[in-house]
C-alpha cells in the first residue's frame, strides 16, 4: 500500500565533488589584532577539519584552493610564511592521510614552487596514488586561465605535429589537457569570508557547479558548516539548461 504509507523520500544525493575557496585568514587575524600569519596557521587547522569532515560526510572529491597564481603578488614575508606552513602540512599530514586512504593531488604551476616543496608534493602523490577513500586535490600556485592557456598550447602543438586535426578538438579532449584530468567537475563550490567571486579558480570545471558564498572566515569553518552547505546543496535544483522539472 505504497500510497497509504507515507513513503520515505530518498535524501538528495550528496555532492560527489566539493571545491572550496578558503578565504578570510587575514581578516580572521586582523579581527584579533594578530599578524596575518596567525590566520594562515588557523587556516591550516581548518584544512585538517575540512578533510576529515569531507571523508566522514561521504564526499569523494574535495578540492581546496590554497594559493593562487595571483597570490605571488603578496609580500615576501607572507609568501614565506605560507610556504612554511605548506611544508609543515606536507611533512606532517601525508602519513596520516595515507593511513586514512586519502589520495592527494596537487594542481598548479610547480615551476614557481621551491624545489623541496615540489619534492614533498611528488612524495605525497606517489605515496597516496593507490588510495580511494577521498580524493583530495590542493590547488597551489594555481590559476584557471593559465591552466586553460596551457591546455590550448598543448593542443595547438599536437595539431601542428599532425597528431590530430583542429576540428577533432572537442570538450572531452580539451578537458583531458587540464590538470584536473580524471577528476569529475565540482558539484558544489563554496567560498568563505563573504566575498562573492571565483578569483580564477577552476573556471572550466565549475561551468555547472552550484555556487555557495558563506560568511564564515576560513579559520572558523568546520564540519558543521560543511554539513550546512551540503544540506543547502540538496535543496537546489540542478537543471543544466533544461526546462524546469
Ligand atoms: C586566504 O585568506 C588564504 C590565501 C589566499 C592564501 P586571505 O589571506 O586571502 O585572507 P583575507 O582575504 O585577507 O582575509
Ligand atoms: C583566492 O583568495 C585564493 C585562495 C583562496 C587561495 P584571494 O584572497 O587571493 O582572492 P581575492 O584577491 O580576494 O579575489
Ligand atoms: Mg582573501
Amino acid at each position: 500500500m505504497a500510497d497509504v504509507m507515507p513513503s520515505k523520500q530518498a535524501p538528495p544525493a550528496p555532492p560527489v565533488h566539493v571545491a572550496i575557496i578558503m578565504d578570510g585568514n587575514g581578516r580572521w587575524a586582523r579581527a584579533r589584532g594578530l599578524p596575518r600569519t596567525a590566520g594562515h596557521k588557523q587556516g591550516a587547522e581548518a584544512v585538517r577539519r575540512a578533510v576529515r569532515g569531507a571523508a566522514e560526510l561521504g564526499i569523494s572529491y574535495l578540492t581546496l584552493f590554497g594559493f593562487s597564481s595571483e597570490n605571488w603578488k603578496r609580500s615576501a614575508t607572507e609568501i614565506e610564511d605560507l610556504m612554511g606552513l605548506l611544508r609543515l602540512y606536507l611533512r606532517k599530514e601525508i602519513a596520516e592521510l595515507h593511513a586514512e586512504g586519502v589520495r592527494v593531488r596537487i594542481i598548479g604551476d610547480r615551476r614557481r614552487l621551491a624545489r623541496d616543496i615540489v619534492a614533498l608534493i611528488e612524495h605525497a602523490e606517489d605515496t597516496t596514488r593507490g588510495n580511494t577513500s577521498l580524493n583530495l586535490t590542493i590547488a597551489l600556485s594555481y590559476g584557471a586561465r593559465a591552466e586553460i592557456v596551457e591546455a590550448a598550447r598543448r593542443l595547438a602543438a599536437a595539431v601542428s605535429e599532425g597528431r590530430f586535426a583542429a576540428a577533432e578538438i572537442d570538450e572531452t579532449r580539451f578537458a583531458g589537457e587540464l590538470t584536473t584530468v580524471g577528476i569529475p567537475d565540482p558539484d558544489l563550490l563554496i567560498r568563505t569570508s563573504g566575498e562573492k567571486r571565483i578569483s580564477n579558480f577552476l573556471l572550466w570545471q565549475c561551468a555547472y557547479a552550484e555556487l555557495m558564498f558563506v560568511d564564515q572566515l576560513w579559520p572558523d569553518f568546520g564540519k558543521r558548516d560543511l554539513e550546512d552547505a551540503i544540506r543547502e546543496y540538496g535543496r537546489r535544483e540542478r537543471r543544466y539548461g533544461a526546462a524546469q522539472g
Side-chain angles (χ1 to χ4, degrees):
M1 298 278 282
D3 44 8
V4 175
M5 293 283 288
S7 69
K8 215 170 162 198
Q9 276 246 314
V16 171
H17 183 173
V18 176
I20 308 181
I21 301 174
M22 310 184 288
D23 197 14
N25 295 354
R27 278 162 283 170
W28 185 93
R30 195 172 57 209
R32 288 162 180 76
L34 297 170
R36 291 179 66 80
T37 173
H40 295 317
K41 227 172 160 171
Q42 281 306 307
E45 289 304 317
V47 169
R48 292 186 184 95
R49 288 199 300 272
V51 172
R52 208 175 311 126
E56 287 164 5
L57 294 166
I59 291 164
S60 300
Y61 293 84
L62 177 69
T63 300
L64 302 174
F65 202 4
F67 191 86
S68 75
S69 43
E70 289 72 29
N71 289 149
W72 290 111
K73 290 185 224 160
R74 296 192 181 191
S75 74
T77 5
E78 182 168 359
I79 292 173
E80 263 169 47
D81 287 343
L82 281 163
M83 294 300 150
L85 282 167
L86 175 60
R87 278 190 184 92
L88 215 62
Y89 185 84
L90 289 169
R91 287 207 193 103
K92 282 175 59 184
E93 299 295 316
I94 296 307
E96 195 177 324
L97 291 172
H98 182 44
E100 289 165 6
V102 177
R103 176 171 182 181
V104 180
R105 289 181 180 90
I106 308 292
I107 57 170
D109 186 358
R110 289 183 195 190
R111 291 167 302 190
R112 299 182 77 176
L113 296 171
R115 286 170 80 147
D116 69 301
I117 291 184
V118 175
L120 286 168
I121 287 172
E122 286 168 354
H123 172 71
E125 290 183 331
D126 290 343
T127 308
T128 64
R129 198 172 300 282
N131 293 344
T132 52
S133 78
L134 170 70
N135 288 276
L136 172 65
T137 304
I138 306 176
L140 297 173
S141 186
Y142 173 87
R145 284 187 168 183
E147 177 188 38
I148 290 168
V149 167
E150 188 63 38
R153 203 176 282 147
R154 267 201 300 275
L155 289 166
V159 169
S160 73
E161 287 161 17
R163 281 189 270 143
F164 48 81
E168 289 176 85
I169 299 172
D170 58 10
E171 290 183 12
T172 307
R173 190 161 242 163
F174 202 99
E177 294 298 330
L178 298 172
T179 55
T180 49
V181 59
I183 299 173
D185 286 343
D187 300 294
L188 170 61
L189 172 65
I190 303 169
R191 182 177 187 141
T192 58
S193 88
E195 306 294 354
K196 295 177 181 66
R197 54 179 170 265
I198 308 289
S199 300
N200 203 14
F201 189 42
L202 300 177
L203 296 180
W204 170 284
Q205 298 87 341
C206 283
Y208 266 105
E210 290 297 326
L211 307 182
M212 219 165 278
F213 300 100
V214 301
D215 286 333
Q216 287 95 338
L217 302 173
W218 177 249
D220 292 327
F221 194 85
K223 185 183 173 192
R224 186 147 326 145
D225 302 302
L226 192 56
E227 277 177 296
D228 287 347
I230 290 170
R231 205 168 305 118
E232 156 76 15
Y233 169 86
R235 288 193 288 268
R236 304 255 183 113
E237 190 197 347
R238 302 183 77 189
R239 291 203 285 274
Y240 303 99
Q244 189 163 6

